[in-house]
Amino acid sequence: TKAHVKGLLRRLLEKAMLWELLQVQRNPMELVELKGVSKRRKLPTILTVDQFHSVLQQLPQPYRTMVLVAQCMGLRVSEILGLQWQDLDFDRASIQVSRGIVNGRVGYVKTEYSQDLLPLDPDLADALLAWRKEAPLTPDNWIFPNPKTLRPYHPCYIEKRHLQRVGKQLELQHGWHTVVPTYRSVQAATGARTGQHQKIHGQQAC
């Protein structure tokens, strides 16, 4: 019961920070410890700029571009897998995140910010345009389809076969779980508020 109450309060405070009702950069419930309740034993891994570039150099396509999108925009892997080419507007340098894929099922991101157009960095746009020349064509215009099935990949497969493998080579703890903490660290370093980077976060699938 105490764990459920703590979880509920954490969600409420997350929303309060998202709506900028609380001027804090860390959820106070993270400081609450409960005896007999499982909790995170390790701090999340945050990559440096050099480490991130080292990871990119070791990753083959399309995983390199997927990780680049994740790190540059702070998107969850479920949202990245749900991207279709019509979601990108290269002329206006914007991207719309409206769906996510969890366990192979396509669902729409149901948040008040899901219909917002997010800015697309020119360098990231160039990387996506370069990938489009290599990407398999699919009936649903998936940006990152599995060439064998023409459907989106399963995120756990990518993490185990590629992200974790590269992490071991570089002696880093690397996976989808490192993306958001690293993104938030970069945002905090630039002075962005917590609510600003929370607006584009969906549900983690792995």
Side-chain angles (χ1 to χ4, degrees):
T1 300
K2 290 186 290 185
H4 287 306
V5 171
K6 178 184 175 182
L8 175 60
L9 290 174
R10 180 183 178 280
R11 293 294 300 273
L12 291 173
L13 288 168
E14 285 288 325
K15 283 295 185 180
M17 289 189 290
L18 174 63
W19 296 329
E20 300 182 0
L21 299 176
L22 289 178
Q23 298 302 318
V24 295
Q25 297 299 312
R26 182 179 180 184
N27 193 320
M29 293 308 298
E30 294 178 3
L31 304 175
V32 178
E33 296 184 4
L34 298 177
K35 291 183 179 181
V37 177
S38 61
K39 58 180 181 293
R40 176 179 287 169
R41 297 182 181 274
K42 296 188 299 183
L43 293 175
T45 300
I46 297 177
L47 302 181
T48 66
V49 174
D50 290 340
Q51 288 172 335
F52 174 67
H53 284 292
S54 296
V55 167
L56 281 186
Q57 291 174 3
Q58 297 294 326
L59 286 173
Q61 291 287 31
Y63 318 116
R64 183 189 310 134
T65 303
M66 292 176 69
V67 170
L68 186 62
V69 171
Q71 189 58 72
C72 290
M73 304 199 69
L75 298 182
R76 303 284 189 177
V77 61
S78 58
E79 296 167 334
I80 295 171
L81 293 174
L83 289 174
Q84 297 175 336
W85 287 113
Q86 61 266 28
D87 298 327
L88 303 181
D89 190 333
F90 291 105
D91 293 332
R92 297 183 180 181
S94 64
I95 179 172
Q96 185 171 28
V97 180
S98 57
R99 73 188 69 80
I101 297 181
V102 179
N103 296 327
R105 297 181 179 180
V106 181
Y108 288 91
V109 180
K110 297 180 180 180
T111 71
E112 60 183 298
Y113 302 104
S114 61
Q115 301 303 318
D116 284 357
L117 291 177
L118 305 176
L120 185 62
D121 180 82
D123 290 335
L124 179 58
D126 289 341
L128 286 165
L129 285 170
W131 163 243
R132 187 164 66 173
K133 297 177 181 178
E134 307 177 37
L137 297 176
T138 69
D140 294 316
N141 291 321
W142 299 114
I143 294 181
F144 300 110
N146 185 324
K148 295 181 180 180
T149 64
L150 299 184
R151 293 278 300 168
Y153 286 93
H154 195 287
C156 293
Y157 166 83
I158 299 174
E159 182 169 68
K160 293 178 181 178
R161 292 291 299 273
H162 299 281
L163 304 191
Q164 291 181 353
R165 176 182 59 82
V166 169
K168 289 181 180 179
Q169 292 176 354
L170 299 174
E171 297 183 350
L172 298 171
Q173 292 292 328
H174 185 254
W176 293 119
H177 60 282
T178 66
V179 173
V180 172
T182 301
Y183 174 80
R184 288 181 174 177
S185 176
V186 173
Q187 290 291 86
T190 62
R193 295 182 179 181
T194 301
Q196 290 176 316
H197 61 65
Q198 285 179 324
K199 290 177 182 177
I200 57 176
H201 287 162
Q203 296 296 320
Q204 184 69 288
C206 183

